[in-house]
Amino acid sequence: MGLTAASPIEAAQAATRALVVRAQNGDGEAFAELIEDHYDLIHRTAWKWCGNRDDAEDIAQDVCVKLGGAIAGFDGRSAFSSWVYRITLNAVRDMQRAGKRRGKYADAYAEIAPEDQPAEQEDAATSRQLWAAVRALPEKQRDAVLLVYAEELSHAAAAEIMGIKEATVSFHVHEARKTLRGLL
C-alpha cells in the first residue's frame, strides 16, 4: 500500500486546521497567522455585503476581534473559511441593524473615478444599481445571490455557509432573480 501525496488544497486545509488547534490552545502567533490568511476574505465579503469601504473596514476589525473570542468554539464540522464567512455575515447584519453611520447602505459597489471614460462610468453606475438592488433583497435571497454570484461559490458551498440545504439556496437565487427582474 503506497502513500499518496496530499493535494495543494488538502495541504492548505491541514495547515489551517493545525493553526486553529494552536490558536485554540492560546498560541497568539498562530491566531495572527489565521487572521492574516483570512483578512482579505473577511474584508471583501463585508464590502460586498454593505457596499461601503469604511463600514467594511469596521466590520473586518470587529470580525477579527470576534474571532479571538470565538476560536475556542470552532469545532471543525465545517471548513474554517465557511465559519469565518458566517461570522462576517452576522457582523454585517449586526451593523446594518444598528444603522451605524447611515440609515441605508446604498453606496457604490463599484466606484466611479472622474478620470474614467463615459462608457466605464455608465458600466459602474449600472453595476452600482444592480448591487444596491441585490443588497435590498430579503436577507436569505441577498445572501444566496452574493455568495453564488459575487463570491462565485457553488450552491453547495453557499449552503454550507448559510447552514441550509443546497436546494434552498437554489430556491433563494431563483426568487431573487424574479424580484430583481421586477426592480430593474
Side-chain angles (χ1 to χ4, degrees), residues 87-125:
I87 291 174
T88 304
L89 294 180
N90 288 335
V92 169
R93 287 184 194 118
D94 291 346
M95 179 177 265
Q96 288 174 336
R97 285 183 195 121
K100 276 188 137 182
R101 294 214 174 121
R102 288 176 209 98
K104 298 192 182 222
Y105 292 88
D107 288 353
Y109 175 76
E111 296 176 355
I112 299 174
E115 65 274 2
D116 286 345
Q117 299 300 316
E120 292 169 335
Q121 289 181 355
E122 188 174 316
D123 289 347

Coordinates of all heavy atoms in Angstrom, one line a residue, residues 87-125:
I87 N -19.5 34.3 10.4 CA -19.2 35.3 11.4 C -19.2 36.7 10.7 O -19.8 37.6 11.3 CB -17.9 35.0 12.2 CG1 -18.1 33.8 13.1 CG2 -17.5 36.3 13.0 CD1 -16.8 33.4 13.7
T88 N -18.6 36.8 9.5 CA -18.6 38.0 8.8 C -20.0 38.5 8.4 O -20.4 39.6 8.6 CB -17.7 37.9 7.6 OG1 -16.4 37.5 8.0 CG2 -17.6 39.3 6.8
L89 N -20.8 37.5 7.9 CA -22.2 37.9 7.5 C -23.0 38.3 8.7 O -23.8 39.3 8.6 CB -22.9 36.7 6.9 CG -22.3 36.2 5.5 CD1 -23.1 35.0 5.0 CD2 -22.4 37.3 4.5
N90 N -22.8 37.7 9.8 CA -23.5 38.1 11.1 C -23.1 39.5 11.5 O -23.9 40.3 11.9 CB -23.3 37.1 12.2 CG -24.1 35.8 11.9 OD1 -25.1 35.8 11.2 ND2 -23.6 34.7 12.5
A91 N -21.8 39.8 11.4 CA -21.3 41.1 11.7 C -21.9 42.2 10.8 O -22.2 43.3 11.3 CB -19.8 41.2 11.7
V92 N -22.0 41.9 9.5 CA -22.6 42.8 8.6 C -24.1 43.1 9.0 O -24.5 44.2 9.0 CB -22.6 42.3 7.1 CG1 -23.4 43.1 6.2 CG2 -21.1 42.3 6.6
R93 N -24.8 42.0 9.3 CA -26.2 42.2 9.6 C -26.3 43.0 10.9 O -27.2 43.8 11.0 CB -26.8 40.8 9.8 CG -27.1 40.1 8.6 CD -27.8 38.7 8.8 NE -27.7 37.9 7.6 CZ -27.1 36.8 7.5 NH1 -26.6 36.2 8.6 NH2 -27.1 36.1 6.4
D94 N -25.4 42.7 11.9 CA -25.5 43.5 13.1 C -25.3 45.0 12.9 O -26.0 45.8 13.4 CB -24.4 43.0 14.1 CG -24.7 41.6 14.7 OD1 -25.8 41.1 14.5 OD2 -23.7 41.0 15.2
M95 N -24.3 45.3 12.0 CA -24.0 46.7 11.7 C -25.2 47.3 11.0 O -25.6 48.5 11.3 CB -22.8 46.9 10.9 CG -22.5 48.4 10.6 SD -21.0 48.6 9.7 CE -19.9 49.0 11.1
Q96 N -25.8 46.6 10.1 CA -26.9 47.1 9.3 C -28.1 47.4 10.2 O -28.8 48.4 10.1 CB -27.3 46.2 8.1 CG -26.2 46.3 7.0 CD -26.5 45.3 5.9 OE1 -27.1 44.3 6.1 NE2 -25.9 45.6 4.8
R97 N -28.4 46.4 11.1 CA -29.5 46.6 12.1 C -29.3 47.8 13.0 O -30.2 48.5 13.4 CB -29.6 45.3 12.9 CG -30.3 44.2 12.1 CD -30.5 43.0 13.0 NE -30.8 41.8 12.1 CZ -30.1 40.7 12.1 NH1 -29.1 40.6 12.9 NH2 -30.4 39.7 11.3
A98 N -28.0 48.0 13.4 CA -27.7 49.1 14.3 C -27.8 50.5 13.5 O -27.9 51.5 14.2 CB -26.3 48.9 14.9
G99 N -27.8 50.4 12.2 CA -27.8 51.7 11.4 C -26.7 52.6 11.6 O -26.8 53.8 11.5
K100 N -25.5 52.0 11.8 CA -24.3 52.8 12.0 C -24.0 53.6 10.8 O -24.2 53.2 9.7 CB -23.1 51.9 12.3 CG -22.9 51.4 13.7 CD -21.6 50.7 13.9 CE -21.0 51.2 15.1 NZ -19.7 50.6 15.4
R101 N -23.5 54.8 11.1 CA -23.1 55.8 10.1 C -24.2 56.3 9.2 O -24.3 57.5 9.0 CB -22.0 55.3 9.2 CG -20.7 55.0 10.0 CD -19.5 55.3 9.1 NE -18.4 55.2 9.9 CZ -17.4 54.4 9.8 NH1 -17.4 53.6 8.7 NH2 -16.4 54.3 10.6
R102 N -25.0 55.4 8.6 CA -26.1 55.8 7.7 C -27.3 54.9 8.0 O -27.1 53.8 8.4 CB -25.7 55.7 6.3 CG -24.7 56.6 5.8 CD -24.3 56.3 4.4 NE -22.9 56.7 4.2 CZ -21.8 56.0 4.4 NH1 -22.0 54.7 4.6 NH2 -20.6 56.5 4.2
G103 N -28.4 55.4 7.6 CA -29.6 54.6 7.7 C -29.7 53.6 6.6 O -30.3 52.5 6.7
K104 N -29.0 53.8 5.5 CA -29.1 52.9 4.3 C -27.7 52.7 3.8 O -26.8 53.5 3.9 CB -29.9 53.5 3.2 CG -31.4 53.7 3.7 CD -32.2 54.0 2.5 CE -33.6 54.2 3.1 NZ -34.6 53.6 2.4
Y105 N -27.5 51.5 3.2 CA -26.2 51.1 2.7 C -26.3 51.0 1.2 O -26.2 49.9 0.6 CB -25.7 49.8 3.3 CG -25.4 49.9 4.7 CD1 -26.4 49.8 5.7 CD2 -24.1 50.3 5.1 CE1 -26.1 49.9 7.0 CE2 -23.8 50.4 6.4 CZ -24.8 50.3 7.4 OH -24.5 50.4 8.7
A106 N -26.6 52.1 0.5 CA -26.8 52.1 -0.9 C -25.7 52.7 -1.7 O -25.8 53.1 -2.8 CB -28.1 52.8 -1.3
D107 N -24.5 52.8 -1.0 CA -23.4 53.4 -1.7 C -22.9 52.4 -2.8 O -23.3 51.3 -2.9 CB -22.2 53.6 -0.7 CG -22.5 54.8 0.2 OD1 -23.5 55.5 0.0 OD2 -21.7 55.0 1.1
A108 N -21.9 52.9 -3.6 CA -21.5 52.2 -4.7 C -20.8 50.8 -4.4 O -20.0 50.8 -3.5 CB -20.5 53.0 -5.5
Y109 N -21.2 49.8 -5.1 CA -20.4 48.6 -5.1 C -19.2 48.8 -6.0 O -18.1 48.4 -5.7 CB -21.2 47.4 -5.7 CG -20.4 46.1 -5.8 CD1 -20.1 45.4 -4.7 CD2 -20.0 45.7 -7.0 CE1 -19.4 44.2 -4.8 CE2 -19.3 44.6 -7.2 CZ -19.0 43.8 -6.0 OH -18.2 42.7 -6.2
A110 N -19.4 49.5 -7.1 CA -18.3 49.9 -8.0 C -18.2 51.4 -7.9 O -19.2 52.1 -8.0 CB -18.6 49.5 -9.4
E111 N -17.0 51.9 -7.7 CA -16.8 53.4 -7.6 C -16.5 54.0 -8.9 O -15.8 53.4 -9.7 CB -15.7 53.7 -6.5 CG -16.1 53.2 -5.2 CD -14.9 53.4 -4.2 OE1 -13.9 53.8 -4.6 OE2 -15.2 53.1 -3.0
I112 N -17.0 55.2 -9.1 CA -16.7 55.9 -10.4 C -15.6 56.9 -10.1 O -15.7 57.7 -9.2 CB -18.0 56.7 -10.9 CG1 -19.1 55.7 -11.1 CG2 -17.6 57.5 -12.1 CD1 -20.4 56.3 -11.5
A113 N -14.5 56.8 -10.9 CA -13.4 57.8 -10.8 C -13.6 58.8 -11.9 O -14.0 58.5 -13.0 CB -12.1 57.0 -10.9
P114 N -13.3 60.1 -11.5 CA -13.5 61.2 -12.5 C -12.7 60.9 -13.8 O -13.2 61.3 -14.9 CB -13.0 62.4 -11.8 CG -12.9 62.1 -10.4 CD -12.8 60.6 -10.3
E115 N -11.6 60.2 -13.8 CA -10.8 60.0 -15.0 C -11.4 58.9 -15.8 O -10.9 58.6 -16.9 CB -9.4 59.8 -14.6 CG -9.1 58.5 -13.8 CD -9.2 58.7 -12.3 OE1 -9.6 59.8 -11.9 OE2 -9.0 57.7 -11.6
D116 N -12.4 58.1 -15.3 CA -12.9 57.0 -16.1 C -13.6 57.6 -17.4 O -14.1 58.7 -17.4 CB -14.0 56.3 -15.3 CG -13.4 55.4 -14.3 OD1 -12.2 55.1 -14.3 OD2 -14.1 54.9 -13.4
Q117 N -13.6 56.8 -18.4 CA -14.3 57.1 -19.7 C -15.8 57.0 -19.5 O -16.3 56.3 -18.6 CB -13.8 56.2 -20.8 CG -12.4 56.2 -21.1 CD -11.9 57.6 -21.5 OE1 -12.6 58.3 -22.3 NE2 -10.8 58.1 -21.0
P118 N -16.6 57.7 -20.3 CA -18.1 57.7 -20.1 C -18.6 56.3 -20.1 O -19.5 56.0 -19.3 CB -18.6 58.5 -21.3 CG -17.5 59.5 -21.6 CD -16.2 58.7 -21.3
A119 N -18.1 55.4 -21.0 CA -18.6 54.0 -21.0 C -18.3 53.3 -19.7 O -19.2 52.6 -19.2 CB -18.0 53.3 -22.2
E120 N -17.1 53.5 -19.2 CA -16.8 52.9 -17.9 C -17.7 53.5 -16.8 O -18.1 52.8 -15.8 CB -15.3 53.2 -17.6 CG -14.4 52.4 -18.5 CD -12.9 52.9 -18.3 OE1 -12.7 54.0 -17.9 OE2 -12.0 52.1 -18.6
Q121 N -18.0 54.8 -16.8 CA -18.8 55.4 -15.8 C -20.2 54.8 -15.9 O -20.9 54.5 -14.9 CB -18.9 56.9 -16.0 CG -17.6 57.6 -15.6 CD -17.7 59.1 -15.8 OE1 -18.7 59.7 -16.3 NE2 -16.6 59.8 -15.4
E122 N -20.7 54.6 -17.1 CA -22.1 54.0 -17.3 C -22.1 52.6 -16.7 O -23.0 52.2 -16.1 CB -22.4 54.0 -18.7 CG -23.9 53.6 -19.0 CD -24.3 53.8 -20.4 OE1 -23.9 54.8 -21.0 OE2 -24.9 52.9 -21.0
D123 N -21.0 51.8 -17.1 CA -20.9 50.4 -16.5 C -20.9 50.4 -15.0 O -21.5 49.6 -14.4 CB -19.7 49.7 -17.1 CG -19.8 49.4 -18.6 OD1 -20.9 49.4 -19.1 OD2 -18.8 49.0 -19.2
A124 N -20.1 51.3 -14.4 CA -20.0 51.4 -13.0 C -21.4 51.8 -12.4 O -21.8 51.3 -11.3 CB -18.9 52.4 -12.6
A125 N -22.1 52.7 -13.0 CA -23.4 53.1 -12.5 C -24.4 52.0 -12.5 O -25.1 51.7 -11.6 CB -23.9 54.3 -13.3

